[in-house]
Amino acid sequence: MSETPQQRVTRPHDDAWALAISLGVVGLALFGLAGAQPLGWAARFEEWVIPAKAVRPVAWEMPGWLSLAATIAAVSAVLTARLAALGRPLAASLGASLAVVLLGLGAYLLGHQACVAATDDRKFILPFRLGLTGEAGYLVALAAGLVLGNLFPRVANAIAPAARTELFIKTAIVLVGVSLAAKTLGQQAAASRVLLRGVAAIAEAYLLYWGLVYLLARTVFRFPREWSAPLASGISICGVSAAMATGAAIRARSGVAVLVSSLVVVFSTIELVVLPFLARWLLPDHPMVAAAWMGLAVKTDGAAVAAGAVTEALYHPGPGNLMVATTTLIKVFIDLFIGVWCFVLAIAWQRWFRTEPSDKVRWMEIIERMPLFLVGYFLAFLGLMFLGNQWPATLGGIKLVEGQTEAFRKPLFALAFLSIGMATDLRRLASPGMGRLVLVYLVSIFGFIIWMALAISWIFFHDIPALPVPVTP
Amino acid sequence: MNNDQRELLAELDDNPAEPLARGEVILVGSCLALGTALLVALALLL
């Protein structure tokens, strides 16, 4: 297996853009510390019966429709700028970006219709009520993406350059860092507990999943090493990024990781649709176990954090809850380990399995493989925690910062759901030669990974409340 | 799916995999042993 240019460690383009966009939003929102809200025009989506009341601005005095138009224009402009910077024609970039934003936000808005979203009988007079909260909009966006990607592939291909799951979800994850800090400030015990349990949960899950999936792929399904390692990482750790990084670390041919990744996307969508409802049914009284379960079981950052959002909607434990923050935190810690694990695999492969002489494995590869957006997440989270702890008078300002960033986080999730749906090519499952890959994935995920993840989540999160308990002096 | 990917899948069907090597047994064994030990230790500690 000789090294190809694709196998060198390269940082995905979306990673840098996600960091830049999210830090830009957080930077502007930080004016909230001084009482100003430069992003106060951003749209906040509300449950509605009359469409005119579906949107209102975060803070500014302006009509809802204008706030929505401003949000659509701002998000489309950023997406267009990214595509233009990549050298795509401006008009096509603008068209694709606008289409993705309109579809994503339109679906999110539909999900806020009171019959679907309302959880309170007193607020509206309705013929029926599903009570799914506004986050049902994510599922509407996912369905729209699936229909578009599988039934109208030409349209989907035309707008696909603007539908970047990784970009949307990584940007949103940095904003979750702001939200986690705002929710746990003044309640350090709750924050430390979630952090500590999160690290504890992934430490062994990582090792157990990987070992078992690798063993299964090699012994029962008779895959060669070149396939088994990316499969084990993709199925057990964190989907696409882990499969790609592992492929590069063991110098597998690039097509191997690409094929594994295409399966990861399809199955993570299935998990995203099934697991939140299964969690609600199996664990009606343990929202934090359910939230941790999504982080440990659903592959890819996008689908996992999205599953966390749907799970939160199904439990709706109230404002200020730690559910999405917990799912995100677990996923973030898993991402942190990808670089370390690939370093271990690179050394193992060099020592035991590589027949040809090759480059030495470098320590820097750990840093190079670490997703850049994690810097933004920890910067936002730890920075605000430090600020709030050192100067408690800033707590009110931090809430204003959160109000502004949340206005972007939720629509970004909706765009991520749309993109996940568009990228889920269900026909891939029926492609010739994919049978054995599909089977190893099915057996691993539904045979033991989700159940082990459930057990580990239960062990570490069954006694943590979804709403942090205020500490009384 | 492009031709390279089709060839990779065809090769997968045609070529039987080699048996587990000593290095793989060490790697997988270490993962499972360390993972189990960590699970028990952390569950008791936390």
Side-chain angles (χ1 to χ4, degrees):
Chain A
M1 284 175 265
S2 61
E3 188 178 350
T4 65
Q6 293 97 315
Q7 289 166 327
R8 286 185 209 123
V9 179
T10 51
R11 201 177 285 292
H13 197 76
D14 286 342
D15 210 26
W17 274 91
L19 181 69
I21 297 169
S22 55
L23 289 185
V25 172
V26 175
L28 284 172
L30 277 176
F31 282 94
L33 294 173
Q37 296 194 68
L39 298 174
W41 47 266
R44 178 182 285 164
F45 294 79
E46 312 229 310
E47 292 164 8
W48 58 273
V49 174
I50 302 164
K53 293 190 175 177
V55 176
R56 67 184 174 91
V58 168
W60 289 15
E61 288 292 328
M62 63 197 286
W65 65 266
L66 191 57
S67 162
L68 180 61
T71 305
I72 290 170
V75 180
S76 303
V78 172
L79 293 183
T80 306
R82 173 189 158 272
L83 289 175
L86 290 172
R88 291 180 179 273
L90 192 63
S93 303
L94 179 62
S97 302
L98 203 56
V100 166
V101 174
L102 284 174
L103 276 169
L105 297 195
Y108 190 52
L109 198 65
L110 271 182
H112 278 74
Q113 208 284 332
C115 289
V116 180
T119 52
D120 187 349
D121 277 330
R122 291 163 297 182
K123 214 168 159 187
F124 303 100
I125 299 166
L126 301 166
F128 66 93
R129 182 172 64 81
L130 296 179
L132 291 174
T133 79
E135 269 71 0
Y138 299 146
L139 294 180
V140 180
L142 179 70
L146 281 168
V147 169
L148 201 62
N150 289 277
L151 300 182
F152 305 97
R154 280 190 183 174
V155 182
N157 282 338
I159 64 172
R164 307 291 302 175
T165 306
E166 294 285 305
L167 175 72
F168 300 139
I169 215 72
K170 286 175 177 175
T171 309
I173 284 177
V174 176
L175 305 184
V176 172
V178 174
S179 166
L180 179 61
K183 281 170 182 163
T184 53
L185 265 172
Q187 291 156 17
Q188 273 67 19
S192 326
R193 215 143 71 119
V194 171
L195 275 168
L196 197 64
R197 305 282 178 108
V199 177
I202 68 130
E204 71 278 346
Y206 217 87
L207 293 165
L208 291 173
Y209 294 172
W210 198 93
L212 286 173
V213 177
Y214 186 86
L215 204 58
L216 185 80
R218 287 283 286 122
T219 55
V220 178
F221 289 92
R222 313 286 297 164
F223 280 100
R225 286 184 206 111
E226 185 192 16
W227 283 85
S228 300
L231 261 174
S233 295
I235 297 174
S236 65
I237 303 174
C238 191
V240 175
S241 42
M244 291 293 191
T246 299
I250 65 162
R251 311 291 190 251
R253 286 166 291 180
S254 58
V256 172
V258 171
L259 282 166
V260 171
S261 300
S262 66
L263 267 189
V264 170
V265 173
V266 175
F267 275 99
S268 57
T269 306
I270 296 171
E271 283 184 282
L272 156 63
V273 173
V274 173
L275 283 194
F277 293 92
L278 186 61
R280 186 73 181 90
W281 181 63
L282 284 177
L283 307 157
D285 303 319
H286 293 90
M288 288 297 272
V289 177
W293 191 23
M294 296 307 118
L296 282 176
V298 181
K299 305 306 147 195
T300 82
D301 292 332
V305 179
V310 176
T311 309
E312 183 193 58
L314 293 176
Y315 283 88
H316 48 84
N321 76 78
L322 295 174
M323 287 184 70
V324 172
T326 300
T327 309
T328 309
L329 199 70
I330 285 176
K331 215 64 205 164
V332 161
F333 281 130
I334 289 177
D335 284 346
L336 273 176
F337 272 94
I338 291 176
V340 178
W341 186 242
C342 287
F343 182 74
V344 171
L345 290 181
I347 290 175
W349 251 252
Q350 191 178 49
R351 181 180 167 83
W352 287 315
F353 312 129
R354 214 168 288 151
T355 48
E356 311 140 21
S358 57
D359 302 336
K360 276 189 79 171
V361 180
R362 296 172 298 119
W363 279 102
M364 276 306 287
E365 287 187 27
I366 297 179
I367 306 292
E368 286 165 357
R369 287 203 176 90
M370 200 162 285
L372 203 56
F373 74 97
L374 294 181
V375 175
Y377 176 84
F378 284 109
L379 210 60
F381 171 56
L382 297 175
L384 287 177
M385 286 297 275
F386 176 77
L387 208 65
N389 285 326
Q390 289 296 309
W391 296 282
T394 58
L395 284 178
I398 290 173
K399 291 285 178 200
L400 291 184
V401 175
E402 189 206 10
Q404 295 174 86
T405 55
E406 283 290 281
F408 286 93
R409 178 183 71 80
K410 292 182 174 183
L412 281 169
F413 271 9
L415 296 182
F417 271 89
L418 177 79
S419 311
I420 290 170
M422 282 172 62
T424 306
D425 184 357
L426 296 171
R427 287 159 301 190
R428 183 52 71 99
L429 295 178
S431 302
M434 290 291 273
R436 207 146 50 110
L437 282 170
V438 171
L439 208 56
V440 72
Y441 210 113
L442 268 176
V443 171
S444 303
I445 284 283
F446 297 106
F448 57 89
I449 285 186
I450 62 168
W451 308 117
M452 285 172 69
L454 176 58
I456 293 170
S457 305
W458 174 270
I459 290 171
F460 292 107
F461 285 89
H462 73 277
D463 56 348
I464 298 187
L467 285 166
V469 182
V471 181
T472 46
Chain B
M1 193 182 294
N2 61 32
N3 282 339
D4 285 349
Q5 291 170 3
R6 277 195 203 96
E7 277 171 25
L8 276 171
L9 288 172
E11 181 192 302
L12 195 58
D13 282 338
D14 297 341
N15 299 338
E18 66 274 34
L20 272 185
R22 187 173 141 266
E24 289 173 286
V25 175
I26 295 172
L27 184 67
V28 172
S30 313
C31 280
L32 298 180
L34 187 61
T36 311
L38 269 173
L39 178 62
V40 174
L42 290 171
L44 290 175
L45 276 173
L46 297 172

